[in-house]
Amino acid sequence: SAAAASSQLHKDPEEERLFESAKAYLMQADADGQSVYDLLYKTVYSMLEENPEDVANHPERLNELLSSLKKHQFEGVRVPTATARDAREPSKVHPTQAADSRRNLSLLAQPKPKSETKVERPSPGVTVTTTTVLQSSGPTFASVAKDNAMWKYCGYGLPDQEAFLLDQSISKLARDKSLEEVRFVGKIFGLRGNYLVVSSKRWVNPNGNEKIFKESNNMPKPPRKNTTVDVQAEPAYKGCNRQSFWVSAEAGAEWTLLPDTTPQHINASRSINKLFTGDLDAPVIVHPPFHGDDGLHGLESEYLRAQLSRLVAATYISPTGALERPEEDEGDEDDDDELDENGKPKPPKPAKYQALTVVSKEYSPDVENGVAGLLDLEQWVHSEPFIYKDGRMSKVPPKPEEDEDEEPEDEPVDEEEEEANADENKEEEPEEEERDLFGPVKRDYLYGVISVPKEPNPEEEEEEEPVDEEPQELDAEALAEKEREEEDALKKPIEDDEIADDDPLKKKVAAWTSSVVNAIYKKHGIAAIRSVRWPGAVAFAANGGKYWGSVYLGDGLKKTDYNFVPIPAPKIQKEKKDLTEVADPTAANEKLVTRGEEPRENDSEDEQPDEDEEEA
């Protein structure tokens, strides 16, 4: 049969190549857009479907059919649909590319409109029905395609096709999940896959049973003195869990919600340096260990969520005055009394979400002078709270005061253990000061300090007399201690005020750099603010400062001003001291102590006769 012949034809690669070459030759079109292949196709189709003038049984009439097809080629000749025709012909598009095209095509589909029907009865016996069709639309957000042009001016950016599809995909996500405060955070590059990141207001599943309450101090007491317990995680609508993060591998792929983070995950991510793989379910096997909620190896989704909290808190900046705090609701005042009239704890109150920042209506930059004024780092501020050393953006609320009648029980303390803990906690770190929300980026810790060598003075060299002293060689321990001190000095954060600007021997390297691009015409200039500590983070301001934004396009790791070295294993504990033997008290001494008298020493003269008797 014809199908079997075709199957045999396509089995041989050389014959298949010849077949495709012949087919391509026949498909060459003339000036009118017609080809021999099209004419043969229409001819065979007409013979099989309609068979005009009984051409199949009278081949001599084939010329008449060809003439008729040429004459009426633009008059709606019946041909099969494109789908049926493509099914008969081998596709020249790769199956993966075809699937991506169909998936991306679904992003362009318009959402179904919503209709509202209102029935009114203005008078008895008269019914008026009004149906209003509402076009469903999602929340507004900064267009990725529009901002992408600014990112390219700053030296970053995405492909135009990807930026366009991102706009459609984020709109679809916001409509389907009813998201608010949507913002495109950026793109994180991984070893085997990438992550596109979108942030939104903390999402609560309407079909779930999740309930969000105000935070209260639920931390247990330490098991013993000079010990600590893990800091409790921030609840939803607050701190690092104030917003949700959604990630996707591609612009047209499904979006995945990342879990909430904990202070333990954030502090663990600060001590490791590991690239992402692109698989959210991949275990994070590192040292120090990154534990998950179940105590085993954490997943990459948890690691990514912790890094995103750190990244956004450090790199989301805005021009001074562009954002402001919203007005607080008067009805949301906190009630300090956590106990009711009977002295019992009140039930937890439900938490209400409140936006952290809103666009300021009074922000009016100097458009005539361009963006020259925005090159000063004092004109840029952080728009996300600072994450403290305990891994939280907010302080833990204080515990309710204990009743005076209840006295804390005295726990037995091991003196040796207490001394060991006292030695470890000799230098207690002072409590961190609270930082304001809109802090200038210039006050960030310096990225580094370069020591400039002092210029030699020939007069001082002549006055100096040579000293014949043998250089002192440092032993291994002293050399290791010196290297450790130098490394600790590099790790210690240095603020901008600690080093004078006019110091010729110290050159400060700020955590941010500023420059102007597209500065041919002053009003078309763009201020680019790049982060040195988080490579890939960039903010821009255009149109004199009215149009601004920020994005992150990098590997999701923080750059340090020293070579990264994993934290070494903890020190081996010291051996326990030997027990000191003490003689038991005698019965006579016990009676003396009972009467309130001082006990007699063992080597007194009164005890000597007894010892002699025992020896005898």
Side-chain angles (χ1 to χ4, degrees):
S1 63
S6 177
S7 175
Q8 291 292 336
L9 178 64
H10 289 281
K11 283 185 178 180
D12 190 356
E14 182 62 22
E15 293 181 356
E16 185 177 356
R17 186 185 64 80
L18 294 175
F19 174 78
E20 293 292 339
S21 299
K23 180 180 176 182
Y25 178 76
L26 295 176
M27 293 181 70
Q28 294 179 356
D30 56 7
D32 296 332
Q34 293 293 320
S35 65
V36 177
Y37 182 86
D38 292 335
L39 185 59
L40 291 176
Y41 179 82
K42 294 177 182 179
T43 302
V44 175
Y45 179 78
S46 298
M47 291 173 59
L48 295 177
E49 295 294 332
E50 300 177 356
N51 193 17
E53 300 181 6
D54 198 14
V55 177
N57 297 323
H58 300 82
E60 64 274 6
R61 301 177 185 176
L62 182 61
N63 291 333
E64 298 179 4
L65 177 60
L66 293 174
S67 301
S68 176
L69 291 175
K70 284 185 177 182
K71 182 178 180 180
H72 304 284
Q73 58 182 344
F74 298 110
E75 296 181 4
V77 179
R78 290 188 180 181
V79 294
T81 60
T83 305
R85 180 172 180 176
D86 293 340
R88 293 187 178 92
E89 297 182 5
S91 176
K92 297 182 180 181
V93 182
H94 194 274
T96 304
Q97 186 178 359
D100 293 342
S101 300
R102 288 191 293 270
R103 182 186 60 191
N104 297 336
L105 187 62
S106 64
L107 300 178
L108 305 178
Q110 293 294 331
K112 295 181 179 180
K114 299 180 181 179
S115 59
E116 293 183 357
T117 303
K118 186 178 181 181
V119 179
E120 297 180 353
R121 291 186 175 85
S123 60
V126 178
T127 303
V128 178
T129 304
T130 305
T131 302
T132 306
V133 179
L134 302 175
Q135 188 68 28
S136 59
S137 60
T140 58
F141 61 93
S143 173
V144 179
K146 184 179 178 181
D147 290 350
N148 190 41
M150 301 293 112
W151 303 338
K152 289 185 177 181
Y153 277 116
C154 300
Y156 299 83
L158 300 171
D160 293 337
Q161 181 180 0
E162 185 178 12
F164 171 76
L165 293 176
L166 268 174
D167 277 340
Q168 312 306 319
S169 181
I170 296 174
S171 298
K172 185 175 184 299
L173 171 67
R175 287 195 306 266
D176 296 344
K177 302 295 183 180
S178 301
L179 302 182
E180 300 179 15
E181 300 182 16
V182 181
R183 184 176 77 90
F184 177 67
V185 176
K187 186 174 184 178
I188 293 181
F189 302 99
L191 298 176
R192 298 188 294 271
N194 305 325
Y195 294 114
L196 298 168
V197 185
V198 172
S199 66
S200 68
K201 168 189 170 182
R202 175 61 162 78
W203 184 71
V204 180
N205 189 356
N207 299 326
N209 298 323
E210 183 181 7
K211 295 182 180 180
I212 301 174
F213 301 99
K214 291 185 178 181
E215 185 181 17
S216 60
N217 193 328
N218 299 322
M219 295 176 58
K221 293 182 179 180
R224 60 180 67 88
K225 293 183 178 180
N226 298 327
T227 57
T228 58
V229 294
D230 291 338
V231 181
Q232 67 183 26
E234 292 173 304
Y237 294 167
K238 187 176 182 180
C240 296
N241 294 323
R242 180 182 56 85
Q243 52 188 353
S244 296
F245 288 94
W246 307 77
V247 295
S248 176
E250 297 178 1
E254 294 292 331
W255 293 90
T256 303
L257 175 65
L258 296 180
D260 290 344
T261 188
T262 62
Q264 291 71 34
H265 287 163
I266 291 179
N267 286 331
S269 65
R270 285 171 168 169
S271 59
I272 61 177
N273 195 5
K274 179 178 174 58
L275 292 171
F276 294 96
T277 62
D279 181 10
L280 292 176
D281 297 328
V284 182
I285 304 175
V286 290
H287 176 79
F290 185 87
H291 293 298
D293 295 336
D294 54 358
L296 303 176
H297 292 296
L299 301 179
E300 186 164 296
S301 58
E302 299 169 334
Y303 175 44
L304 176 62
R305 179 63 176 83
Q307 284 292 94
L308 287 175
S309 294
R310 298 176 56 205
L311 191 149
V312 171
T315 62
Y316 182 45
I317 61 176
S318 62
T320 303
L323 299 176
E324 64 180 2
R325 285 184 175 275
E327 296 180 359
E328 297 184 359
D329 297 337
E330 297 180 357
D332 293 344
E333 297 181 357
D334 294 338
D335 188 5
D336 297 335
D337 297 334
E338 298 185 1
L339 303 178
D340 56 10
E341 298 177 354
N342 300 327
K344 297 182 180 180
K346 295 181 179 179
K349 297 181 179 180
K352 294 182 180 179
Y353 178 82
Q354 186 171 7
L356 184 67
T357 58
V358 294
V359 178
S360 177
K361 298 180 180 179
E362 300 178 356
Y363 176 61
S364 57
D366 189 2
V367 181
E368 295 182 358
N369 294 329
V371 294
L374 292 174
L375 295 180
D376 185 6
L377 295 180
E378 288 284 352
Q379 301 300 320
W380 291 84
V381 296
H382 288 280
S383 302
E384 283 288 329
F386 178 77
I387 300 180
Y388 298 98
K389 291 182 179 179
D390 60 355
R392 289 172 54 103
M393 286 185 176
S394 58
K395 300 293 184 180
V396 180
K399 270 185 171 293
E401 298 180 358
E402 297 180 354
D403 296 339
E404 298 180 357
D405 299 337
E406 297 180 1
E407 296 182 359
E409 298 179 358
D410 295 334
E411 299 179 357
V413 180
D414 190 352
E415 295 181 359
E416 296 179 1
E417 187 175 342
E418 187 176 3
E419 291 178 2
N421 293 333
D423 294 339
E424 295 178 358
N425 301 329
K426 281 182 180 178
E427 298 180 359
E428 295 184 357
E429 296 183 0
E431 187 177 355
E432 288 185 275
E433 297 180 358
E434 293 189 9
R435 298 200 180 190
D436 296 333
L437 174 61
F438 299 111
V441 299
K442 190 175 182 180
R443 299 179 187 176
D444 289 358
Y445 294 126
L446 296 176
Y447 174 74
V449 178
I450 301 175
S451 298
V452 181
K454 186 178 180 181
E455 296 183 2
N457 191 350
E459 297 179 358
E460 295 180 358
E461 291 181 358
E462 294 177 359
E463 295 177 359
E464 292 180 356
E465 297 180 358
V467 181
D468 297 335
E469 293 183 359
E470 296 181 359
Q472 297 180 357
E473 296 183 358
L474 299 176
D475 55 356
E477 294 183 0
L479 186 61
E481 183 67 23
K482 185 179 179 180
E483 293 178 355
R484 196 179 301 110
E485 291 178 358
E486 293 177 356
E487 185 178 350
D488 292 341
L490 289 174
K491 292 181 179 180
K492 182 181 178 182
I494 303 174
E495 294 184 355
D496 184 74
D497 299 338
E498 296 181 11
I499 299 177
D501 295 334
D502 55 355
D503 189 351
L505 302 181
K506 298 291 184 180
K507 183 178 179 181
K508 297 184 290 186
V509 181
W512 297 83
T513 62
S514 59
S515 62
V516 175
V517 295
N518 195 29
I520 299 177
Y521 185 51
K522 181 170 62 175
K523 292 186 178 180
H524 293 172
I526 301 172
I529 311 297
R530 302 178 182 88
S531 175
V532 181
R533 198 169 293 281
W534 290 89
V538 62
F540 69 89
N543 194 13
K546 286 187 175 181
Y547 178 35
W548 59 272
S550 66
V551 73
Y552 178 82
L553 303 171
D555 55 9
L557 299 180
K558 181 179 179 180
K559 187 178 180 181
T560 56
D561 49 1
Y562 58 92
N563 293 331
F564 177 80
V565 179
I567 297 177
K571 296 181 180 180
I572 300 176
Q573 294 182 353
K574 297 180 180 179
E575 294 185 2
K576 189 174 181 62
K577 296 181 180 180
D578 294 337
L579 297 175
T580 304
E581 296 183 0
V582 180
D584 295 336
T586 61
N589 285 340
E590 289 181 356
K591 291 180 180 180
L592 292 174
V593 173
T594 305
R595 292 198 298 264
E597 300 178 7
E598 295 183 0
R600 289 178 292 183
E601 297 181 359
N602 294 335
D603 56 352
S604 62
E605 297 179 357
D606 298 337
E607 296 289 334
Q608 193 68 24
D610 297 339
E611 295 178 0
D612 296 340
E613 292 177 2
E614 292 177 2
E615 291 178 359

